[in-house]
Amino acid sequence: MAEPPSSRISGFHRHVLSERQDRLCSHFELTDEAQAFLRGEVGLPLSDLDRMSENVVGAAVLPLSVALNFRVDGRDVPMPMAVEEPSIVAAASNAARLVRITGGFRGEADDAVMTAQVQLDDVPNPAAAAEALGLEKDRIVEVANAAIPRMVERGGGCRDAEVRLLDEELGMVVVHLYVDVQDAMGANLVDTVAEAVGPWVLDRVGGRLGLRILSNLPLRRMVRVSCRVSDDALGGEEVADGIHRASRFAEKDIFRAVTHNKGIMNAVDAVAVAMGQDWRSIEAGAHAYAALGGGYGPLATWRRADGGLDGRLEMPMAVATVGGSTRAHPAVRSAFELMRPSGAKELAVCLGAAGLACNLAALKALAGEGIQQGHMRLHRRKTEAAEARPESGHGEQEGPRRS
């Protein structure tokens, strides 16, 4: 797969819409189908939308934007974003430009291992039952894989099983199944596995069969992204120190941490929606991961380094490049054509990079001019379209507009 050209298009935002479309289509050599969609020449018929969902009565449309300047693992990546808030796109583009100076974002993603759960209640002698099932882990994996032969043929399948005793008094035992779903999100597939394994474990230990479904906390499907940004790029040591202090604040205080993470998810969700991903699953997993251990902490942190800051983000990331909505909608197909991820692991890293970029932009604004000055400068464009529009500020959507 050929790499796209540079994601650094100076002054992109200064052009009118038609000129931005022309430059983007030419710069990234988009297909005729993608060009026609971006220019509004084709759309998705309501009849197609009616097949996608329930009780369809129309279409709710979000702007499809592109955040520029991203360099991820040595590759220039135009970052599609479906979002109504202009400051999110501007913030991500601006922060990516600063990080680009020192080499861009680096990341790694785990194999696409999803977690399915099988619940048993009222299990007689639950401690002994849990121990017995643990000894049959290999057999449980065999039963799981028998339910998904085509995935096994493609190189995926159940990799491991784990047994947890949740409540001895209630006789509640839960079996975890860890399934490699390759480039899929994998929800339906792991549900199939859980449904197949449920009766088998029930037959072994007794009790009552409960839920058989995936968990949206896939701790074996994590993404880790890091970057370095220099003091000079940020505007000096004082700003860098302020970002470091703001990061410590989020690590110490739940009230700050949730807003810190909301700023990250601004970008993660925007890219996820553009790429046809289950952003609700990503949100649920992110906040659950932030709360592991009984507290609630930041998904990204910043530390002072020699002449700059080191940023790091870690979170669960269940995304797909096949199945679901990844090819059903022309907007999603166009977004894939822009980003061109090689698979689900690279897509996960790109989403993580977008989140870390927006986090940097937020903390830089807080440490510098403050939130409102940059945010409201972009917000005026929306208020001009409707004089009496409710205020939309719900947290961190900051960053000066610059592509």
Side-chain angles (χ1 to χ4, degrees):
M1 183 178 296
E3 288 196 0
S6 173
S7 63
R8 176 81 178 121
I9 308 178
S10 181
F12 185 76
H13 68 280
R14 297 190 183 95
H15 294 281
V16 298
L17 175 58
S18 61
E19 292 173 340
R20 291 198 299 272
Q21 292 170 334
D22 290 343
R23 288 197 68 181
L24 196 71
C25 291
S26 173
H27 191 74
F28 293 106
E29 299 179 342
L30 299 184
T31 62
D32 291 343
E33 180 192 28
Q35 291 190 41
F37 173 77
L38 292 179
R39 292 190 170 110
E41 297 168 5
V42 296
L44 200 63
L46 282 175
S47 57
D48 288 353
L49 294 174
D50 191 37
R51 286 192 291 271
M52 283 185 182
S53 189
E54 189 75 10
N55 293 346
V56 172
V57 294
V61 180
L62 286 172
L64 179 62
S65 301
V66 59
L68 297 173
N69 307 321
F70 278 87
R71 191 160 182 79
V72 182
D73 287 331
R75 187 173 80 89
D76 276 38
V77 180
M79 203 72 72
M81 290 187 167
V83 66
E84 82 293 348
E85 187 58 62
S87 58
I88 293 173
V89 184
S93 297
N94 186 53
R97 181 180 61 85
L98 304 182
V99 172
R100 184 186 186 88
I101 298 169
T102 41
F105 298 90
R106 302 169 301 281
E108 62 175 12
D110 295 338
D111 290 340
V113 176
M114 294 295 288
T115 303
Q117 294 184 294
V118 176
Q119 173 196 4
L120 295 170
D121 290 319
D122 302 326
V123 175
N125 197 353
E131 183 177 358
L133 287 176
L135 294 174
E136 295 203 73
K137 182 170 65 173
D138 291 343
R139 180 63 182 131
I140 292 173
V141 170
E142 289 179 9
V143 173
N145 281 329
I148 50 170
R150 288 196 297 174
M151 176 55 72
V152 174
E153 289 173 6
R154 292 197 297 269
C158 188
R159 302 293 190 225
D160 194 13
E162 181 182 19
V163 184
R164 301 167 60 212
L165 174 58
L166 290 191
D167 191 307
E168 190 159 9
E169 184 177 343
L170 295 175
M172 183 180 290
V173 175
V174 174
V175 178
H176 280 204
L177 306 162
Y178 298 105
V179 185
D180 185 341
V181 297
Q182 302 284 283
D183 285 324
M185 191 275 183
N188 292 332
L189 188 136
V190 297
D191 287 351
T192 297
V193 168
E195 291 284 355
V197 169
W200 190 91
V201 296
L202 178 67
D203 184 59
R204 293 301 183 277
V205 298
R208 297 173 58 193
L209 193 56
L211 304 185
R212 287 143 287 168
I213 192 169
L214 89 162
S215 169
N216 287 121
L217 181 59
L219 292 182
R220 298 196 185 188
R221 196 173 185 177
M222 303 289 293
V223 66
R224 290 163 288 276
V225 178
S226 62
C227 70
R228 174 166 289 192
V229 60
S230 69
D231 290 344
D232 290 341
L234 292 168
E237 293 183 7
E238 186 175 347
V239 176
D241 288 340
I243 293 172
H244 181 208
R245 292 197 306 273
S247 179
R248 288 205 314 260
F249 184 12
E251 293 168 57
K252 299 293 184 182
D253 181 62
I254 185 174
F255 293 92
R256 175 58 208 156
V258 70
T259 311
H260 181 100
N261 288 343
K262 192 270 181 182
I264 293 168
M265 300 310 294
N266 277 338
V268 171
D269 288 347
V271 180
V273 173
M275 302 298 289
Q277 306 301 308
D278 186 350
W279 60 270
R280 300 159 299 272
S281 169
I282 296 171
E283 276 274 353
H287 293 295
Y289 180 70
L292 280 181
Y296 183 95
L299 298 170
T301 56
W302 297 87
R303 292 288 182 268
R304 284 303 257 138
D306 185 22
L309 285 168
D310 285 338
R312 178 175 173 82
L313 175 143
E314 184 174 29
M315 61 184 289
M317 189 68 76
V319 293
T321 54
V322 298
S325 300
T326 58
R327 294 294 184 267
H329 198 292
V332 176
R333 292 198 297 271
S334 298
F336 266 89
E337 193 170 323
L338 277 169
M339 183 188 283
R340 305 182 191 183
S342 60
K345 293 172 76 169
E346 185 180 6
L347 177 57
V349 171
C350 287
L351 266 73
L356 189 57
C358 249
N359 183 235
L360 174 61
L363 300 188
K364 180 176 180 291
L366 286 164
E369 68 179 7
I371 290 297
Q372 288 301 88
Q373 184 174 335
H375 174 58
M376 294 308 295
R377 186 165 58 245
L378 293 172
H379 191 64
R380 290 191 197 99
R381 178 164 36 166
K382 292 195 296 184
T383 59
E384 289 170 359
E387 293 181 1
R389 182 175 181 272
E391 182 64 41
S392 68
H394 297 295
E396 295 184 4
Q397 301 164 337
E398 336 60 74
R401 179 181 178 82
R402 183 178 298 171
S403 296

